Amino acid sequence: MAGSFLIIGMIILTQTVVGILGNFSLLCSYIVLHVMGYRLRSTDLILKHLIVANSLVLLCKGVPETMAIFGWKQIRSDFGCKLLFFLHRMGRGMSIGSICLLSVFQMITISPWNSRWAALKVIAPKYTVPSIFLCWILQMPVNVIFPIFITGKWSHNNITEERDYGCCSSIQTGQKNIKTRDALYAALLSSPDVLCLGLTLWAGGSMVLILYRHKQQVQHIRRTDASSRSSPESRATKTILLLGGTFVCFYTLSSIFQVLLALFVQPSWLFVNMTIIIAACFPSVSPFLLISRDSSVQRLYFAWERNAKSSTIMRKV
């Protein structure tokens, strides 16, 4: 059992450290590019908020769970558990909202001028900032219900039963209608996620159709090698499709584990931590997907590498 604790702890610790470093480096890259005067797309602002949301998920879930597994200083107060769970839910919800906004805005951007979305192509960038802040504001009342039944594992409240969630636990009052109440809460909490997921899938399908039609038109117009090069809009669309597809896969798997976790009154320690690991996969992987696909960030990294090599050579001389 000690070996299982060590393996799970190392996986969560690695996910957390690698994910935080990846998100932090990507956020710094966007800030440096902005300071250097690079023309950033309207979707880059949404990506910055996605990075912040992913960092919240990793910090508020990965760090406390790692501390709990390795027996370091743990959260003993109810307020600490409630705050961490609220911030974690905010980050998770904003991650879903950011992917949805990315997909919808990019779909509008690449839509043809003769489509029904042509009128939105000009005004969409103006609503990027209001849309982002609206997502943050809407996440607050939805997720404020979630921490109500979260408590510290060492609190001395008179609780009939507790459900273990790693570093914290949830209150089980033992009422007969507890399943009905939990089902209503689950429906309320998941309704914005289901809506965003549906919009993401619809926007992703629309982008695939638009790219396919564009490719068919280009094949009839140009046959040169230059026509095979992807335009910046096409590359950005493919990046968002890759990001959205990765998110949908991890989110679906995480949702299945979350539902199964809610069905068990006393879930096993291994199942609880497997749910945590799966939930942290997308926040840990997404920054590296963006780094590998964003040419501006890659050029910035190559410039840093060249400068570092030049400095090393000059010091040797």
Side-chain angles (χ1 to χ4, degrees), residues 289-309:
L289 289 178
L290 291 170
I291 291 172
S292 65
R293 299 284 301 181
D294 196 320
S295 57
S296 300
V297 175
Q298 290 178 2
R299 286 196 298 268
L300 181 63
Y301 286 161
F302 290 149
W304 284 343
E305 185 179 357
R306 287 196 299 268
N307 291 334
K309 289 182 178 179

Side-chain angles (χ1 to χ4, degrees), residues 112-161:
W113 285 102
N114 58 353
S115 67
R116 67 181 70 178
W117 306 106
L120 297 176
K121 287 174 68 70
V122 178
I123 64 174
K126 301 178 182 178
Y127 291 95
T128 304
V129 175
S131 299
I132 294 172
F133 283 102
L134 181 62
C135 281
W136 282 107
I137 292 171
L138 290 178
Q139 290 298 325
M140 292 182 183
V142 172
N143 291 303
V144 75
I145 301 174
F146 189 81
I148 292 177
F149 299 100
I150 297 297
T151 180
K153 294 177 68 174
W154 292 270
S155 62
H156 299 285
N157 297 334
N158 295 324
I159 299 173
T160 304
E161 188 178 355

Side-chain angles (χ1 to χ4, degrees), residues 266-290:
Q266 290 294 339
S268 66
W269 173 87
L270 180 60
F271 191 82
V272 170
N273 285 280
M274 285 299 297
T275 305
I276 295 169
I277 291 172
I278 293 172
C281 284
F282 178 76
S284 302
V285 171
S286 59
F288 299 100
L289 289 178
L290 291 170

Side-chain angles (χ1 to χ4, degrees), residues 49-297:
H49 284 263
L50 174 64
I51 294 168
V52 173
N54 288 338
S55 301
L56 271 179
V57 173
L58 293 170
L59 286 171
C60 297
K61 200 67 173 178
V63 173
E65 293 298 335
T66 303
M67 293 168 61
I69 291 174
F70 286 105
W72 298 331
K73 185 178 179 181
Q74 301 177 21
I75 304 168
R76 297 179 180 270
S77 66
D78 290 347
F79 176 77
C81 280
K82 292 179 186 294
L83 179 62
L84 281 178
F85 267 73
F86 175 71
L87 293 177
H88 172 259
R89 292 291 306 186
M90 283 283 294
R92 184 176 182 272
M94 192 58 200
S95 181
I96 299 171
S98 299
I99 293 294
C100 178
L101 288 178
L102 275 173
S103 302
V104 172
F105 272 80
Q106 189 64 23
M107 185 270 294
I108 294 174
T109 301
I110 67 170
S111 60
W113 285 102
N114 58 353
S115 67
R116 67 181 70 178
W117 306 106
L120 297 176
K121 287 174 68 70
V122 178
I123 64 174
K126 301 178 182 178
Y127 291 95
T128 304
V129 175
S131 299
I132 294 172
F133 283 102
L134 181 62
C135 281
W136 282 107
I137 292 171
L138 290 178
Q139 290 298 325
M140 292 182 183
V142 172
N143 291 303
V144 75
I145 301 174
F146 189 81
I148 292 177
F149 299 100
I150 297 297
T151 180
K153 294 177 68 174
W154 292 270
S155 62
H156 299 285
N157 297 334
N158 295 324
I159 299 173
T160 304
E161 188 178 355
E162 291 183 352
R163 178 179 292 174
D164 190 4
Y165 284 112
C167 61
C168 299
S169 58
S170 65
I171 301 172
Q172 303 293 317
T173 58
Q175 299 174 356
K176 293 182 180 180
N177 61 345
I178 187 173
K179 291 185 178 180
T180 304
R181 186 202 67 187
D182 289 347
L184 291 175
Y185 284 153
L188 177 63
L189 292 171
S190 61
S191 55
D193 296 351
V194 172
L195 176 62
C196 289
L197 188 62
L199 286 174
T200 302
L201 291 173
W202 166 74
S206 300
M207 284 189 285
V208 171
L209 185 60
I210 292 171
L211 288 177
Y212 176 75
R213 289 176 176 174
H214 177 71
K215 183 179 179 181
Q216 294 295 102
Q217 292 174 355
V218 169
Q219 286 180 346
H220 286 86
I221 297 174
R222 297 177 180 175
R223 297 292 181 179
T224 61
D225 293 335
S227 65
S228 62
R229 298 176 183 176
S230 299
S231 64
E233 292 80 6
S234 177
R235 289 196 299 271
T237 303
K238 292 176 181 178
T239 300
I240 293 176
L241 283 173
L242 176 62
L243 193 67
T246 305
F247 170 80
V248 169
C249 293
F250 282 129
Y251 177 78
T252 303
L253 187 59
S254 176
S255 298
I256 294 173
F257 272 75
Q258 291 284 351
V259 170
L260 293 176
L261 184 65
L263 294 177
F264 296 126
V265 177
Q266 290 294 339
S268 66
W269 173 87
L270 180 60
F271 191 82
V272 170
N273 285 280
M274 285 299 297
T275 305
I276 295 169
I277 291 172
I278 293 172
C281 284
F282 178 76
S284 302
V285 171
S286 59
F288 299 100
L289 289 178
L290 291 170
I291 291 172
S292 65
R293 299 284 301 181
D294 196 320
S295 57
S296 300
V297 175

